[in-house]
């Protein structure tokens, strides 16, 4: 249990670093898609290394979520685990589809990776929402903040998935999602290893 908690806390903290790096990289990349793929390939050591690090962080988070799912026999943790597993499918697509590939193939890989990542996050944040609806171990005000942020994240990713807004518009609210990941880390930190009543 202690190892699972540490993995979840570490990955929830590190994902904030990863998101910050992604935002920085996006600011320096060209807007034109074909030029952007060329820029990515010209700086592949930086981009490829970042995605590999993100892949590792997300995997550690999934390991923690699967353990909590089995330990607490929780529907919310099951949904979180499924969402995180779908998100993980994004990284092999990017790592295998972007480097030294024709623009048409890279563009196809990008579309597949993007929709996979967005849908996985819809499921992930839905599970997080269900978790916090009964997360009475948190202070009431923090629990309400977590519920609002998780509902907001679920609705935003759903809006992108069904085409109401664009992915670039979601990136603008990334700092709010960062706060939610910090709360996720704090929530697990606050739970005693023997705590059994988090089933939802």
């Amino acid at each position: 249990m202690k190892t699972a908690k540490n993995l979840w806390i570490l990955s929830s903290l590190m994902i904030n670093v990863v998101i910050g790096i992604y935002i920085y990289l996006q600011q320096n990349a060209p807007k034109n898609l074909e030029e952007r793929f060329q820029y990515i390939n010209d700086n592949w050591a930086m981009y490829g290394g970042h995605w590999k690090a993100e892949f590792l962080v997300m995997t550690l988070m999934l390991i923690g979520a699967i353990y909590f799912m089995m330990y607490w026999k929780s529907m919310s943790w099951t949904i979180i685990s499924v969402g995180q597993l779908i998100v993980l499918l994004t990284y092999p697509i990017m790592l295998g589809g972007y480097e030294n590939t024709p623009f048409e193939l890279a563009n196809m890989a990008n579309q597949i990776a993007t929709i996979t990542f967005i849908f996985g996050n819809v499921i992930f944040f839905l599970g997080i929402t269900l978790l916090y609806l009964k997360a009475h171990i948190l202070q009431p005000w923090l629990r309400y903040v977590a519920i609002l942020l998780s509902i907001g994240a679920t609705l935003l990713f759903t809006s992108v998935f069904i085409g109401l807004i664009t992915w670039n518009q979601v990136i603008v609210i990334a700092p709010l999602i960062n706060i939610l990941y910090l709360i996720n880390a704090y929530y697990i930190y606050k739970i005693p290893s023997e705590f059994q009543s988090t089933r939802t």
Side-chain angles (χ1 to χ4, degrees):
M1 179 63 170
K2 183 178 180 180
T3 301
K5 288 179 65 174
N6 289 338
L7 288 178
W8 179 268
I9 292 169
L10 175 63
S11 58
S12 296
L13 295 175
M14 287 302 299
I15 197 63
N16 287 281
V17 177
V18 169
I19 291 173
I21 294 173
Y22 177 77
I23 293 173
Y24 173 78
L25 293 177
Q26 286 294 97
Q27 290 174 343
N28 290 288
K31 300 300 181 183
N32 178 273
L33 194 57
E34 191 165 1
E35 292 177 358
R36 179 176 299 184
F37 284 128
Q38 184 59 51
Y39 178 83
I40 288 173
N41 274 274
D42 291 341
N43 298 275
W44 184 252
M46 178 174 60
Y47 275 90
H50 171 259
W51 285 326
K52 288 175 182 177
E54 188 173 347
F55 197 4
L56 174 61
V57 169
M58 289 297 198
T59 300
L60 297 180
M61 189 177 293
L62 176 61
I63 293 170
I66 290 175
Y67 182 89
F68 301 144
M69 174 189 70
M70 295 187 299
Y71 185 79
W72 287 310
K73 298 179 174 59
S74 165
M75 178 55 70
S76 59
W77 281 109
T78 301
I79 296 171
I80 290 168
S81 298
V82 170
Q84 190 67 3
L85 181 60
I86 295 172
V87 169
L88 278 179
L89 299 176
T90 304
Y91 301 99
I93 297 171
M94 293 190 299
L95 290 167
Y98 290 173
E99 186 180 16
N100 298 322
T101 54
F103 171 70
E104 292 76 12
L105 183 58
N107 188 37
M108 182 180 69
N110 181 61
Q111 293 183 46
I112 295 171
T114 301
I115 198 65
T116 302
F117 184 80
I118 291 168
F119 182 68
N121 274 287
V122 170
I123 305 302
F124 177 84
F125 286 115
L126 175 61
I128 293 291
T129 300
L130 295 177
L131 178 70
Y132 285 129
L133 286 174
K134 295 188 177 181
H136 299 294
I137 198 168
L138 292 178
Q139 299 92 324
W141 70 270
L142 185 57
R143 176 171 167 255
Y144 295 138
V145 169
I147 291 171
L148 289 175
L149 288 175
S150 57
I151 289 174
T154 304
L155 292 176
L156 280 169
F157 278 101
T158 301
S159 297
V160 179
F161 184 71
I162 63 179
L164 294 180
I165 61 176
T166 67
W167 173 238
N168 288 332
Q169 290 173 303
V170 173
I171 295 175
V172 176
I173 54 86
L176 294 179
I177 296 177
N178 284 15
I179 294 173
L180 183 56
Y181 276 114
L182 292 176
I183 297 174
N184 291 347
Y186 179 71
Y187 171 71
I188 289 300
Y189 170 76
K190 290 288 290 183
I191 295 178
S193 297
E194 70 276 8
F195 193 68
Q196 295 285 348
S197 59
T198 57
R199 298 182 183 182
T200 59

